[in-house]
Amino acid sequence: MCGIVGYIGDEQAAPILLNGLTKLEYRGYDSAGIAVFDGSEIRMEKVSGRLQRLKEATDNGKALPGMVGIGHTRWATHGCPSDTNAHPHFNKEHSIIVVHNGIIENFTKLKLHLENRGYQFVSETDTEVLAHLLDYYYKRTRNPLAALTKVMQKVEGSYALGILFRDHPDSIYSARKDSPLIVGQSERGNFIASDVPAILQYTREVFYMENEEIAVLTRDDIKFYNVDEEPVEKTATHIEWDVNAAEKGGYEHFLLKEIYEQPRAIRDTVNPRIKDGQIEIEELQMTDEEIKGIDKIMIVACGSAYHTGVMAKYVFEGMARVPVEVDLASEYRYRDPIFGRNTLVIVVSQSGETADSLAALRESQAHGQKVLGIVNVVGSSIAREADSVMYTWAGPEISVATTKAYSAQLAAFYLLALKFGRVRKTISDSDYEAYISDLQKLPEQMEEILKDRQPIQRFANRYLAAEHIFFIGRGIDYAISLEGSLKLKEISYIHSEAYAAGELKHGTISLIEDGTLVVAVATQEKLYPKTVSNIVEVKTRGAFVMALTNEDNKDIEKVSDFTFYIPKTNRYFAGSLAVLPLQLFAYYVSLGRGLDVDKPRNLAKSVTVE
Ligand code: M6R
């Protein structure tokens, strides 16, 4: 979703803004703009399309001199991507300039109110009301902070804001509610940004803004206020991770780099939580008695994070014998869920900022439920608002299509299920030991798969022109199919569906014709013969079958056209290995079709609107 960067300090602002926006490109956008205070006027440039166009239009920022500025990449919600709808937005005199991430839900009402008072609008955006509303209150108060708090009281919806007032050339004003915003502090000036990578090159000292907080930045100082204009004390967080973690490190794409980082992500997520052969998850903050008392787990998430929940249901129910419900956050938040007497709600999110997942968390808490967050981005909203948080130590994930965060989320679920199984005595001591040993072997087995990616690349190149691709599997293999299919469609734009293999014959099999590619995942021993039967069913109808299984099942070659073998592990963890060839397949199809692998069209890394 939209990205915001702001800078005030000793350096020229425009190059810093452009650089920061480049680091936020992964969030997804369709237009971009910057505004810089040149000493007497605020000058602005905004364009639809890629940041490169903005760089060209501003001679890499040189055309907009000045040491105070704000920038924005826009992911269109209200109004098509265009130069006019691009941010920044401004009042009539160009004396108040605003960049915004989020949605102003009551903008129609506010717009009417302003139009009745003579304000004229030039764009179709919801954001423009903010510029005029700020103008309205600023003209009455002559005080930017008072005007901003008034606006915050009037608007409904979500916002992260960067604002310049021409009358106050030595300050940037900012505020947030339900959209991410951080403030960075350095010797050479201060920053606002939607995310850490935008400013990591300049500072590691970061303040995470809470809902309805305001920050006023000057060259040497940062002051925080609440919506009543009372000062707020905040402590900076030191960012530990390396700037290289957010760079491509020699890989052609972030996606490929992140696929290859998965063994490391699993090690970092798992190893610190295994001590003397026992799983210890301190962050869980639950006694053994409380774990024994849990009568239901509800997992809520979106997209790939939801798919980890689908997988976790099999793992938890199998290992710990606790009933698990898995919900899409966008459905859960409005379905009036029924909680048990001792329900544990788990919200899973890479970014920790997904609007629907955050709303689901709040909805659960409003019903008195305790929420455990499984989150990758440290300090994100879900991490801060959850009652307890278990971090996945995947490191910064830049590519829009998730890979390493997905795998780390699965690993977090394995740890939790094993811990629950142990405490609830639903797995034996010997199984517990064997599972832990398998879990620690996973990174090595992943490395083995990733050693040779050529067979998958060659296979993918045969399917660049496919129109439909189906993924089938049963149980955990179905959960993996869901993820394989999503990976493929989001970056290759090929229509794809994942089906529980046994369900195909209830309708979807009519879509199978000569040459249709069906990817069959068959890692589950107990279900293997059943899946093979389903493979035969699609083969009979002309499908071309790619099978994914382990070396014990060589006979699958009799019914498939291409087989990829994964190393053997136990039934619960096989998905973590099977997903790698599927990620690589999606990557190479996208690459072969000449698409933007890391920034697929219409998508955003962090979906901060409903
Ligand atoms: O940041 P989150 O994990 O909450 O994001 C959830 C989904 O938006 C995300 O997994 C999305 O489906 C990915 N682009 C899939 O690769």
Side-chain angles (χ1 to χ4, degrees):
M1 301 268 120
C2 308
I4 289 178
V5 187
Y7 172 73
I8 179 163
D10 298 338
E11 315 278 342
Q12 287 298 314
I16 293 176
L17 301 177
L18 290 171
N19 185 33
L21 292 177
T22 306
K23 299 278 167 26
L24 295 181
E25 272 192 300
Y26 72 89
R27 295 170 68 83
Y29 70 102
D30 42 50
S31 56
I34 55 174
V36 178
F37 204 108
D38 73 2
S40 54
E41 289 301 319
I42 302 172
R43 294 171 58 205
M44 192 163 36
E45 191 66 63
K46 44 189 199 160
V47 298
S48 59
R50 289 295 179 198
L51 261 177
Q52 190 51 33
R53 288 195 64 213
L54 184 63
K55 290 179 184 166
E56 283 159 15
T58 59
D59 190 13
N60 283 317
K62 289 192 207 89
L64 294 183
M67 292 183 241
V68 186
I70 51 179
H72 188 267
T73 43
R74 172 174 186 253
W75 189 84
T77 56
H78 296 60
C80 62
S82 68
D83 293 2
T84 311
N85 288 335
H87 297 213
H89 289 282
F90 40 83
N91 63 343
K92 190 169 153 211
E93 296 86 14
H94 286 212
S95 57
I96 299 175
I97 312 282
V98 183
V99 291
H100 165 223
N101 172 16
I103 290 181
I104 304 303
E105 286 167 3
N106 58 341
F107 91 100
T108 318
K109 193 172 129 209
L110 292 171
K111 188 171 173 179
L112 195 65
H113 167 87
L114 288 161
E115 280 173 338
N116 288 339
R117 280 155 185 78
Y119 283 88
Q120 284 174 354
F121 284 73
V122 293
S123 78
E124 304 158 275
T125 65
D126 53 332
T127 301
E128 196 181 347
V129 297
L130 295 172
H132 296 307
L133 204 57
L134 280 164
D135 176 275
Y136 179 83
Y137 287 116
Y138 182 68
K139 284 188 172 137
R140 273 151 192 81
T141 58
R142 289 283 146 202
N143 177 336
L145 186 59
L148 178 54
T149 54
K150 274 274 183 214
V151 168
M152 289 164 71
Q153 286 156 19
K154 291 284 169 196
V155 299
E156 288 162 18
S158 57
Y159 52 79
L161 299 174
I163 310 162
L164 299 179
F165 288 85
R166 192 176 57 197
D167 295 351
H168 298 267
D170 52 359
S171 305
I172 295 177
Y173 288 79
S174 68
R176 81 155 273 198
K177 179 174 167 270
D178 292 342
S179 286
L181 195 68
I182 57 163
V183 175
Q185 185 174 42
S186 85
E187 292 285 302
R188 309 281 296 161
N190 296 319
F191 304 81
I192 54 170
S194 298
D195 199 358
V196 174
I199 56 172
L200 196 56
Q201 183 178 336
Y202 312 103
T203 181
R204 288 175 171 279
E205 303 310 310
V206 160
F207 298 91
Y208 289 98
M209 288 186 64
E210 299 293 339
N211 267 346
E212 303 203 315
E213 272 183 2
I214 297 163
V216 182
L217 286 69
T218 57
R219 188 251 165 265
D220 301 310
D221 196 19
I222 302 167
K223 287 200 161 43
F224 296 97
Y225 301 92
N226 63 21
V227 78
D228 296 320
E229 295 179 48
E230 292 161 345
V232 173
E233 285 303 318
K234 289 182 80 70
T235 318
T237 302
H238 183 77
I239 301 296
E240 299 287 352
W241 42 273
D242 201 85
V243 76
N244 293 330
E247 303 290 348
K248 279 190 209 148
Y251 284 89
E252 199 179 339
H253 295 100
F254 280 111
L255 186 64
L256 193 60
K257 175 185 172 243
E258 288 161 5
I259 288 174
Y260 274 79
E261 283 176 340
Q262 292 179 102
R264 201 266 311 133
I266 305 293
R267 282 191 186 101
D268 289 356
T269 303
V270 167
N271 291 353
R273 290 169 172 132
I274 299 180
K275 289 175 192 136
D276 301 326
Q278 300 296 319
I279 292 170
E280 286 181 22
I281 312 172
E282 281 153 23
E283 316 92 292
L284 191 57
Q285 293 171 23
M286 283 174 87
T287 62
D288 284 0
E289 283 319 301
E290 284 169 328
I291 291 177
K292 281 183 199 152
I294 295 288
D295 56 7
K296 179 170 165 186
I297 294 176
M298 293 169 100
I299 301 174
V300 192
C302 303
S304 294
Y306 166 77
H307 295 161
T308 68
V310 177
M311 167 86 85
K313 176 177 167 69
Y314 294 105
V315 181
F316 263 116
E317 290 186 345
M319 285 186 179
R321 307 305 297 150
V322 196
V324 177
E325 275 179 28
V326 192
D327 271 90
L328 291 164
S330 52
E331 291 294 314
Y332 174 92
R333 61 187 290 190
Y334 297 115
R335 86 164 164 88
D336 200 4
I338 301 168
F339 302 99
R341 284 161 60 102
N342 272 314
T343 301
L344 173 66
V345 177
I346 305 181
V347 174
V348 194
S349 175
Q350 186 288 128
S351 62
E353 299 294 349
T354 301
D356 285 320
S357 304
L358 186 56
L361 177 153
R362 290 177 183 159
E363 176 70 14
S364 311
Q365 287 175 333
H367 282 85
Q369 301 301 311
K370 288 263 180 282
V371 177
L372 166 67
I374 297 182
V375 180
N376 195 43
V377 176
V378 176
S380 56
S381 300
I382 294 176
R384 281 176 293 135
E385 293 192 28
D387 298 281
S388 53
V389 58
M390 183 172 176
Y391 281 113
T392 48
W393 297 113
E397 193 178 63
I398 307 296
S399 189
V400 166
T402 181
T403 50
K404 61 176 180 170
Y406 167 87
S407 286
Q409 285 160 1
L410 287 184
F413 273 127
Y414 301 156
L415 286 166
L416 282 169
L418 276 168
K419 169 90 188 161
F420 275 48
R422 172 73 160 179
V423 172
R424 296 163 70 96
K425 300 201 187 324
T426 47
I427 38 180
S428 66
D429 289 356
S430 58
D431 281 352
Y432 179 73
E433 262 174 49
Y435 285 135
I436 289 183
S437 154
D438 284 351
L439 185 52
Q440 293 191 297
K441 269 190 223 140
L442 273 183
E444 230 171 276
Q445 294 178 312
M446 290 176 134
E447 276 155 1
E448 199 183 318
I449 296 173
L450 293 172
K451 237 187 252 161
D452 184 11
R453 51 187 204 254
Q454 272 188 13
I456 292 285
Q457 180 171 17
R458 278 198 296 270
F459 182 74
N461 283 339
R462 292 167 63 181
Y463 279 90
L464 302 182
E467 283 180 19
H468 312 280
I469 298 181
F470 293 86
F471 290 72
I472 60 169
R474 287 167 177 258
I476 279 180
D477 290 336
Y478 168 56
I480 286 302
S481 300
L482 289 170
E483 179 58 9
S485 170
L486 178 63
K487 269 316 65 106
L488 180 79
K489 63 188 143 197
E490 72 175 325
I491 61 172
S492 77
Y493 315 155
I494 293 176
H495 167 250
S496 160
E497 284 185 41
Y499 254 79
E503 180 66 14
L504 269 183
K505 56 186 172 292
H506 297 288
T508 308
I509 201 161
S510 66
L511 295 172
I512 306 293
E513 50 189 19
D514 249 4
T516 306
L517 176 59
V518 175
V519 178
V521 189
T523 67
Q524 303 293 300
E525 285 322 297
K526 223 169 96 190
L527 298 167
Y528 178 74
K530 307 276 171 203
T531 307
V532 168
S533 301
N534 300 132
I535 294 177
V536 174
E537 282 162 14
V538 293
K539 280 270 346 140
T540 313
R541 276 127 190 121
F544 191 93
V545 174
M546 167 184 169
L548 264 181
T549 188
N550 62 58
E551 297 274 352
D552 287 357
N553 300 325
K554 288 247 181 208
D555 61 333
I556 206 164
E557 290 181 21
K558 292 191 199 128
V559 294
S560 64
D561 301 280
F562 172 79
T563 308
F564 191 93
Y565 293 106
I566 56 166
K568 211 159 180 253
T569 179
N570 70 71
R571 61 188 156 136
Y572 295 117
F573 303 163
S576 284
L577 300 177
V579 79
L580 302 187
L582 300 182
Q583 294 167 342
L584 285 170
F585 176 65
Y587 171 74
Y588 281 117
V589 173
S590 174
L591 191 70
R593 285 164 69 96
L595 301 174
D596 192 341
V597 174
D598 285 330
K599 297 186 288 284
R601 70 182 179 203
N602 303 340
L603 292 179
K605 181 69 181 163
S606 164
V607 185
T608 52
V609 294
E610 190 174 342

